[in-house]
Amino acid sequence: MLRVRLLRPVLNIQSAARCRPQAFSARAFSNLSRPNVLQSSTRARSTILTPSLLSKFSRSISTEAPVVSRPTSREAWRKFAITAATVGGTVLAAELLLNRETREDGLSAAEQSYLHDSFKYTGGGLVLTALAARAMFKSGFAYRVMAANPWVVLGVSLVGSIGSMMGVMYTSPENTVQKHAFWLAFNGFQAATLSPLFFFSPAILSRAALYTCGVVGSLSYVGATAKNDTFLYMGGPLLAGVTVVALSSLAPMALPLGIRGLAIAESLSLYGGLAVFGGFVLYDTQKILHRARLAEAGMVTRDPMREAISLELDMINIFIRLVQILAMQQNRK
């Protein structure tokens, strides 16, 4: 019935068109096009406010309680072990620090002067390195370094750093201009190497710098107040530890390690490097005091700039590893 009713106007139009073909063209166009326009307009209007669109702009209140996932027994025991190890390590460190054997007579005037001059050069070199690295980062040098061939950059930085460091160590203190020129070149190469670190968040860099100052300051105090030659025996084991840390850093680039192997190598490079260079702070502090006594006796030449290079390398390596650890912790959140 619906089809018949719809076809009747069309049949009437067709019969009228046989009688008046000229008048039909305009009328037929107007009569047949109007329902389509009205139908399209009603369809367009009907799509404006749909239930899906209304649900997007509607407000709802959820009374369901949030689901809280409880940690498994394995995770709970792991957290408990980490907490216990942290507390036990802190107690042991406090016991060793407060109840250790210290020197009774204190530092002599020559030792204090030599130690202060060494730390002055260390602080000055770190400030110059930080300012130069910041200037290189702002000028776009850090981006060009990261975009270049990493092996070429690593080779040039290593050759420049080692060459300028050897120049500082083997130049006589009487040749002041040449020695300071090598010292400035060493800090410049360190700044070029450290300039990509400014891609990290300033909060991470400031926290890592603060932690580095705290670690180095406390270890230097322990080394300075300990008995003579207490930590000087650590030179050989620390050298072996540096070798292991260097190999663990280079292993992922040379060996086809799996995921577990990469994690172990990364942990050795980060946390093992922290332990090794923390030990180097103790060793270098006592080495400064030992050389101060030798210089006072006239057996060696007084050279605080040479001692500052070792302390500066210790602090830079500790700082780099703390930056990496803090960045990893931020990415896990």
Side-chain angles (χ1 to χ4, degrees):
M1 294 296 293
L2 180 61
R3 290 184 180 180
V4 173
R5 289 178 182 178
L6 291 176
L7 290 175
R8 282 180 181 178
V10 177
L11 294 175
N12 295 331
I13 292 171
Q14 289 179 355
S15 61
R18 293 175 183 175
C19 300
R20 294 181 294 177
Q22 295 180 354
F24 167 72
S25 60
R27 275 180 157 186
F29 179 78
S30 62
N31 291 334
L32 293 176
S33 61
R34 284 177 184 176
N36 295 332
V37 173
L38 292 174
Q39 188 177 4
S40 61
S41 63
T42 53
R43 287 178 181 177
R45 289 179 183 179
S46 63
T47 56
I48 294 176
L49 296 176
T50 59
S52 60
L53 291 177
L54 288 174
S55 63
K56 293 181 180 180
F57 297 99
S58 62
R59 296 182 179 180
S60 60
I61 299 175
S62 178
T63 58
E64 297 180 358
V67 179
V68 180
S69 60
R70 294 182 179 181
T72 61
S73 60
R74 183 177 181 181
E75 293 179 355
W77 279 108
R78 184 173 62 86
K79 292 182 179 180
F80 175 76
I82 293 174
T83 304
T86 304
V87 173
T90 304
V91 172
L92 180 61
E95 179 70 19
L96 293 176
L97 181 62
L98 298 177
N99 296 330
R100 61 192 174 86
E101 295 182 357
T102 58
R103 57 173 65 194
E104 299 177 357
D105 52 350
L107 297 177
S108 63
E111 290 175 340
Q112 291 181 2
S113 176
Y114 199 69
L115 188 64
H116 291 168
D117 291 342
S118 300
F119 272 96
K120 285 179 184 178
Y121 277 108
T122 302
L126 291 174
V127 170
L128 290 176
T129 301
L131 294 177
R134 181 62 178 174
M136 292 178 183
F137 177 77
K138 286 186 176 181
S139 64
F141 177 80
Y143 178 78
R144 292 193 294 270
V145 166
M146 296 183 69
N149 191 348
W151 291 103
V152 174
V153 173
L154 179 62
V156 172
S157 62
L158 283 176
V159 171
S161 299
I162 294 174
S164 56
M165 180 179 64
M166 299 300 288
V168 172
M169 290 186 174
Y170 291 100
T171 302
S172 176
E174 285 78 12
N175 195 351
T176 308
V177 178
Q178 182 178 350
K179 197 173 186 66
H180 281 80
F182 279 120
W183 181 69
L184 291 175
F186 172 77
N187 291 307
F189 280 110
Q190 295 300 314
T193 307
L194 298 177
S195 59
L197 288 179
F198 282 95
F199 283 105
F200 289 98
S201 173
I204 293 178
L205 297 179
S206 59
R207 287 175 60 191
L210 181 62
Y211 295 162
T212 303
C213 293
V215 169
V216 175
S218 59
L219 292 176
S220 299
Y221 173 78
V222 172
T225 56
K227 282 190 173 182
N228 297 338
D229 304 337
T230 302
F231 299 106
L232 288 180
Y233 74 93
M234 297 171 59
L238 289 174
L239 183 60
V242 167
T243 305
V244 173
V245 170
L247 292 177
S248 63
S249 300
L250 297 176
M253 295 186 289
L255 299 177
L257 300 177
I259 297 177
R260 183 171 297 179
L262 290 174
I264 294 173
E266 186 179 10
S267 299
L268 283 175
S269 177
L270 292 179
Y271 301 101
L274 278 179
V276 168
F277 288 105
F280 264 114
V281 172
L282 292 171
Y283 172 77
D284 291 333
T285 302
Q286 285 215 326
K287 188 181 70 172
I288 291 172
L289 300 177
H290 178 69
R291 292 183 67 87
R293 293 190 295 270
L294 294 178
E296 186 180 9
M299 301 176 64
V300 296
T301 306
R302 191 176 186 273
D303 193 0
M305 189 182 297
R306 177 177 179 175
E307 312 299 337
I309 293 294
S310 301
L311 287 173
E312 189 172 348
L313 288 175
D314 298 339
M315 294 187 71
I316 288 175
N317 282 281
I318 292 174
F319 173 74
I320 291 174
R321 281 158 177 81
L322 287 176
V323 169
Q324 293 177 345
I325 292 172
L326 293 176
M328 289 170 57
Q329 290 179 354
Q330 186 178 13
N331 292 332
R332 291 173 183 172
K333 294 180 179 179

